[in-house]
Amino acid sequence: MFTSVKAFEGQQYSTLKRQCLQSGLLFEDPRFPATDDSLFYQGNRIGRVVWKRPRELCEDPHLFVDGISAHDLHQGQLGNCWFVAACSSLASRESLWQKVIPDWKEQEWDTEKPDSYAGIFHFRFWRFGEWVDVVIDDRLPTVDNQLVYCHSNDSNEFWSALVEKAYAKVYGCYEALDGGNTADALVDFTGGVSEPVDLLEGQMATDEAARNQLFERVLKVHNRDGLISCSIRATTIEDMEARLDCGLVKGHAYAVTDVRKVRLGHGLLAFFKSEKLHMIRMRNPWGEKEWSGPWSDSSEEWNKVSKSEREKLGVTVQDDGEFWMTFDDFCQYFTDLILCRLINTSYLSIHKTWEEEVMRGSWVHRQDPLRNRSGGCINHKATFLQNPQYVFDVKKVEDEVLICLQQKEKRATPKEGKGENLAIGFDIHRWHFLILQVELNRKYRMHSAQQKVAGSIYINSRCVFLRKELKEGRYVIIPTTFDPAQQGDFLLRVFTDVPSDCKELTLDEPPQTCWTGMCGYPQLVTQVHVLNAEGLQGQDSNGAVNPYVIITCEGERVRSPVHKDMRCPNFDIKGLFYRKKPKEGIHIEAPPPC
């Protein structure tokens, strides 16, 4: 299932389980002990906690009861609706939850073989470019014999509580999950790419065309097994978890559990009518407090839909936290949407296959300008180009490029607090990346600014994402922290239709050798730019019209892309030459004019 899985903190599940079975002792995790240090940053917040194993809480414990469902989850005494909402989305995707909960049948309690139980479980999360296998024991925090944190509807079902414990171990303690970003959890569950959508900025409530276009995007992500979450932005502390008259809650993460085009009408009439309603289903991690407007569970609007259609949609009248809305109403009330795409890189798929390039890098501050790699954003012109630089090629005439920049999380530091990049106000890990179109023969780092083509937003999130249509050519991505001299590791992922040959630019100038004194060292750097060279044409050996331009300087040449089946194209190419003989000319070879 995975090409490579790393054991978290070096703990091998199979080895530890075998040792427990041989010794006849239930596993007790020394890396995440049943103490307050595993619960809190600084001191107990909820009173006396007793850690109990599932068999101490019920007679017949199970990982799953009647399968896995979004309805299994309830939040508990922790402000981690973001995590629970992500789990709700995960529960609806069998192919995904089986990655997070591997060997689930083997991990299930076996009533016929009680001696095979060792009190040990393992779960997998995608962390900074690799899947990690996290081992835990089954001791769970309780107060008055009730689970303190995430729990299921069924008192003998424990998958959600155990997944939450493994996730808390990764972050250092349970309290580290109090307040977070659903997008991060969705990525950790899938290895996908999260794209935030600002519904207010996009004016989705008033722009029908934009709203319909967004619905098709959301439907496509859902149908291709992506995970989706949404929320209503809280602008003040008082607004957090404030309930609106319509039943929705501000500052609260909801899981999107279904997206459909619903037929209106009954019987044969429904098949012949072209009218379909854009609908979206959500779930409140609290397991209650639902939308009370049109198309809510018991509203009259459902009479417009046939019984068979309602059954297919799974419409209920229970206050279970799950409800339907029209997409129009959704855009009227909700402000933020997160689309976590599973970027398909498999050539065996019937869907679009992306080519992925993964680069690991670091922002490192040094006093030497040539070795400094933490220059800050473009506002700091003197140091901006000292940041890491990555070159990639767009080889099609025009291609949609997806770029995801992720910083390495430093949140799992319970002794120091929640860490620098999320909830405590540090702006150390705020960054921006620029895409610059550069010379086709670019192989050295840039030391002078180029034309900006696109850029992400500045945001103090773990990830930033950009989707952009780019024309054929060579580009440089510059990942930066917001301020100079900030340090950290990052992961850069570039997705294109054809291989982009992404690589880091590390050379600052042509290297000097012992021969440079005799052979000559570059005395001049010249940039040649052929722009809007109108009126050029050319023919290949078969007479086809396929013009191109070649720039030659001291034996090095740059050739433009071929403009197929065009007589008079506009050329826009650049070449950068390090010249040992400045007096020698530069030769530009182009087809004869029209």
Side-chain angles (χ1 to χ4, degrees), residues 206-255:
T206 56
D207 189 333
E208 183 179 1
R211 187 166 62 249
N212 290 338
Q213 188 177 34
L214 175 62
F215 179 81
E216 294 298 333
R217 281 171 57 196
V218 173
L219 182 63
K220 185 175 180 180
V221 170
H222 175 76
N223 288 341
R224 294 192 179 178
D225 290 339
L227 301 184
I228 307 170
S229 177
C230 56
S231 61
I232 302 172
R233 199 175 306 157
T235 55
T236 64
I237 296 178
E238 292 75 18
D239 263 355
M240 288 298 294
E241 298 191 348
R243 188 175 182 181
L244 303 177
D245 292 339
C246 62
L248 300 175
V249 181
K250 282 190 171 184
H252 188 59
Y254 289 80

Side-chain angles (χ1 to χ4, degrees), residues 323-588:
F323 56 90
W324 286 91
M325 297 176 71
T326 66
F327 198 68
D328 288 356
D329 283 339
F330 172 82
C331 291
Q332 188 72 40
Y333 286 94
F334 283 85
T335 61
D336 295 276
L337 181 66
I338 297 169
L339 305 176
C340 183
R341 284 182 174 78
L342 305 185
I343 306 297
N344 179 35
T345 56
S346 170
Y347 293 109
L348 302 177
S349 173
I350 61 173
H351 298 302
K352 176 179 172 62
T353 297
W354 294 85
E355 297 287 343
E356 179 184 21
E357 299 280 2
V358 180
M359 302 285 116
R360 294 179 181 273
S362 300
W363 294 294
V364 181
H365 177 58
R366 301 186 181 98
Q367 294 300 322
D368 182 355
L370 288 180
R371 297 178 66 244
N372 183 44
R373 291 296 177 266
S374 180
C377 68
I378 199 169
N379 295 340
H380 305 276
K381 291 181 170 49
T383 58
F384 169 66
L385 291 174
Q386 295 173 12
N387 286 292
Q389 300 180 9
Y390 296 87
V391 64
F392 74 97
D393 296 324
V394 173
K395 299 177 182 177
K396 297 174 65 176
V397 175
E398 191 170 56
D399 194 10
E400 182 180 45
V401 179
L402 309 181
I403 300 172
C404 180
L405 179 66
Q406 176 180 339
Q407 64 173 316
K408 188 171 185 179
E409 198 158 39
K410 296 185 177 180
R411 201 175 182 204
T413 51
K415 301 302 180 185
E416 302 170 12
K418 288 189 177 179
E420 296 87 349
N421 65 313
L422 285 177
I424 63 173
F426 291 103
D427 59 0
I428 295 175
H429 294 285
R430 303 181 70 187
W431 67 75
H432 185 63
F433 63 82
L434 297 180
I435 306 177
L436 308 170
Q437 187 168 18
V438 297
E439 305 82 16
L440 290 177
N441 61 337
R442 164 67 66 179
K443 58 184 178 181
Y444 299 108
R445 286 175 53 81
M446 292 189 301
H447 295 284
S448 60
Q450 303 286 319
Q451 175 192 6
K452 176 180 173 180
V453 177
S456 76
I457 60 173
Y458 287 92
I459 186 169
N460 61 337
S461 172
R462 193 176 76 175
C463 298
V464 288
F465 174 83
L466 180 72
R467 172 206 305 275
K468 184 70 178 178
E469 290 281 347
L470 294 176
K471 294 182 179 179
E472 187 175 17
R474 176 159 290 187
Y475 297 83
V476 169
I477 303 172
I478 304 182
T480 86
T481 55
F482 183 72
D483 291 317
Q486 307 298 334
Q487 302 195 118
D489 299 325
F490 62 82
L491 187 74
L492 181 67
R493 303 165 75 188
V494 179
F495 300 92
T496 50
D497 193 42
V498 296
S500 64
D501 303 327
C502 185
K503 61 184 178 181
E504 184 177 5
L505 295 173
T506 57
L507 301 176
D508 283 292
E509 57 184 9
Q512 282 188 310
T513 69
C514 59
W515 298 99
T516 54
M518 292 182 287
C519 301
Y521 191 72
Q523 303 172 31
L524 181 66
V525 180
T526 300
Q527 184 184 74
V528 180
H529 188 186
V530 178
L531 176 65
N532 292 334
E534 298 184 21
L536 300 179
Q537 72 170 2
Q539 295 181 342
D540 61 18
S541 58
N542 296 320
V545 182
N546 299 303
Y548 56 89
V549 170
I550 298 175
I551 307 173
T552 307
C553 177
E554 296 189 26
E556 185 178 357
R557 49 190 281 168
V558 176
R559 173 172 165 162
S560 76
V562 174
H563 292 260
K564 292 185 178 181
D565 302 321
M566 294 181 66
R567 286 187 174 274
C568 300
N570 293 334
F571 289 96
D572 183 1
I573 68 167
K574 296 179 183 179
L576 187 70
F577 300 96
Y578 289 81
R579 304 171 63 190
K580 300 175 183 178
K581 303 173 184 178
K583 293 183 180 180
E584 287 196 8
I586 295 175
H587 182 64
I588 300 177

Side-chain angles (χ1 to χ4, degrees), residues 267-317:
L268 291 176
L269 181 62
F271 287 94
F272 291 106
K273 288 183 67 173
S274 60
E275 185 180 5
K276 289 185 180 180
L277 207 57
H278 291 175
M279 300 284 286
I280 185 168
R281 187 178 69 191
M282 284 151 287
R283 185 175 186 275
N284 184 339
W286 291 343
E288 58 180 2
K289 293 185 171 58
E290 299 183 3
W291 159 253
S292 59
W295 299 96
S296 55
D297 284 356
S298 56
S299 69
E300 295 180 356
E301 282 79 10
W302 285 110
N303 295 327
K304 301 177 183 178
V305 178
S306 67
K307 182 180 179 181
S308 60
E309 187 81 356
R310 290 199 302 271
E311 290 175 350
K312 189 166 61 176
L313 294 171
V315 177
T316 66
V317 293

